[in-house]
């Protein structure tokens, strides 16, 4: 089983719809992150969380919200989806140690028509 | 590092040859780490190799090694004996102090290995 699991893997939806992307992890990490990837721009941070009571905005949080339901679960919501939110979305976890990588889920391909 | 630059949008290499993918970074922090990830066409992000700013030796992991030049602020990835399965996007990344030590990523380099 994957250490970081994202659902769904793919989603096509219409403008104005509410969408939730879910992430769960078995790494035991406190830190969780949501990124989006657009061609030519690398990954950009949307939100991050250090524990269930700690939620913080990232570089591009407008139009998104998150929920940390448990140490292992971190969900990303698009309240009213728009076409320029079409992207590949990644959840990641981290131990926070300087020499440790972030661990990524397999990504969710989201298309908004 | 606060900013990561990868100047090669695309690279080609012949199978079994070595290839170097460039990464430069901008930071004023005395202590930092640099990470390389591989993203195949299936989309997942795979961690390859890490270099710490205080490491005395260049990092190596199998066919991957880093050419770390601290004074030049560069951490280039070297892939030896390229294989067809190495065709992918490659990202250089580093933790940043702004958002909970999130990783700042470069724009990536697309590597194509030719048979």
């Amino acid at each position: 089983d994957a250490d970081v699991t994202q659902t769904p893997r793919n989603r096509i939806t219409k403008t104005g719809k509410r969408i939730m992307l879910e992430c769960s992890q078995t790494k035991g990490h406190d830190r969780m992150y949501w990124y989006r990837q657009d061609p030519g721009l690398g990954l950009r941070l949307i939100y991050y969380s250090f524990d269930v009571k700690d939620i913080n905005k990232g570089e591009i949080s407008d139009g998104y919200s998150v929920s940390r339901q448990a140490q292992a679960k971190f969900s990303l919501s698009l309240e009213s989806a728009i076409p320029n939110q079409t992207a590949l979305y990644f959840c990641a976890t981290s131990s926070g140690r300087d020499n440790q990588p972030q661990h990524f889920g397999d990504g969710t391909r989201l298309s908004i028509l | 590092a606060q900013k990561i630059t990868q100047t090669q949008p695309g690279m080609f290499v012949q199978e079994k040859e070595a290839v170097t993918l460039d990464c430069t970074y901008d930071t004023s922090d005395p202590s930092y780490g640099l990470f390389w990830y591989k993203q195949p066409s299936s989309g997942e992000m795979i961690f390859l190799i890490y270099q710490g700013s205080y490491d005395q030796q260049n990092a190596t992991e199998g066919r991957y090694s880093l050419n770390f030049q601290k004074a030049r602020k560069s951490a280039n990835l070297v892939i030896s004996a390229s294989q067809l399965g190495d065709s992918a996007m490659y990202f250089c990344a580093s933790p940043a102090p702004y958002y909970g030590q999130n990783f700042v990523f470069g724009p990536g380099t697309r590597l194509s290995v030719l048979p």
Side-chain angles (χ1 to χ4, degrees):
Chain A
D1 289 340
D3 294 324
V4 184
T5 302
Q6 291 184 233
T7 56
R9 292 295 315 278
N10 295 279
R11 178 80 183 269
I12 301 172
T13 192
K14 294 182 179 180
T15 298
K17 294 292 187 181
R18 183 178 187 274
I19 303 158
M20 180 180 286
L21 309 183
E22 298 186 341
C23 177
S24 62
Q25 54 117 346
T26 58
K27 301 290 291 183
H29 290 161
D30 289 327
R31 301 186 180 195
M32 297 187 74
Y33 305 81
W34 275 104
Y35 293 89
R36 68 175 275 176
Q37 183 182 24
D38 298 279
L41 294 178
L43 277 71
R44 294 181 292 165
L45 182 70
I46 305 172
Y47 269 94
Y48 68 99
S49 168
F50 281 6
D51 66 40
V52 294
K53 297 181 181 179
D54 179 77
I55 302 289
N56 302 281
K57 293 182 177 180
E59 183 185 356
I60 52 165
S61 59
D62 287 348
Y64 302 94
S65 62
V66 291
S67 173
R68 186 84 183 263
Q69 300 94 326
Q71 190 219 25
K73 294 182 182 290
F74 193 35
S75 301
L76 175 71
S77 294
L78 289 67
E79 295 301 326
S80 180
I82 56 177
N84 74 2
Q85 292 177 312
T86 294
L88 180 58
Y89 290 84
F90 285 103
C91 174
T93 74
S94 169
S95 66
R97 297 194 187 98
D98 288 345
N99 64 347
Q100 295 297 308
Q102 291 197 348
H103 298 267
F104 287 82
D106 287 343
T108 296
R109 292 190 186 276
L110 179 61
S111 295
I112 299 162
L113 306 178
Chain B
Q2 283 86 346
K3 183 178 180 182
I4 304 289
T5 301
Q6 294 178 257
T7 59
Q8 306 154 314
M11 289 281 287
F12 291 89
V13 64
Q14 208 68 38
E15 195 178 7
K16 301 180 184 177
E17 299 289 315
V19 63
T20 298
L21 307 184
D22 293 343
C23 171
T24 58
Y25 55 90
D26 178 20
T27 183
S28 56
D29 296 330
S31 176
Y32 51 89
L34 293 151
F35 298 79
W36 277 89
Y37 285 83
K38 172 185 178 181
Q39 185 180 39
S41 57
S42 49
E44 69 269 29
M45 295 289 285
I46 302 167
F47 166 65
L48 295 178
I49 194 168
Y50 162 81
Q51 180 80 48
S53 59
Y54 287 121
D55 291 344
Q56 295 297 315
Q57 307 267 357
N58 285 341
T60 62
E61 286 287 346
R63 294 186 298 110
Y64 304 109
S65 62
L66 279 178
N67 181 3
F68 182 50
Q69 299 186 44
K70 196 170 180 178
R72 293 187 172 187
K73 295 189 176 180
S74 72
N76 299 336
L77 176 69
V78 181
I79 305 174
S80 63
S82 296
Q83 302 172 356
L84 296 178
D86 294 334
S87 293
M89 285 290 289
Y90 289 82
F91 293 95
C92 183
S94 186
Y98 303 128
Y99 299 115
Q101 293 295 102
N102 71 294
F103 275 28
V104 173
F105 285 81
T109 296
R110 182 173 297 282
L111 177 65
S112 299
V113 180
L114 306 174

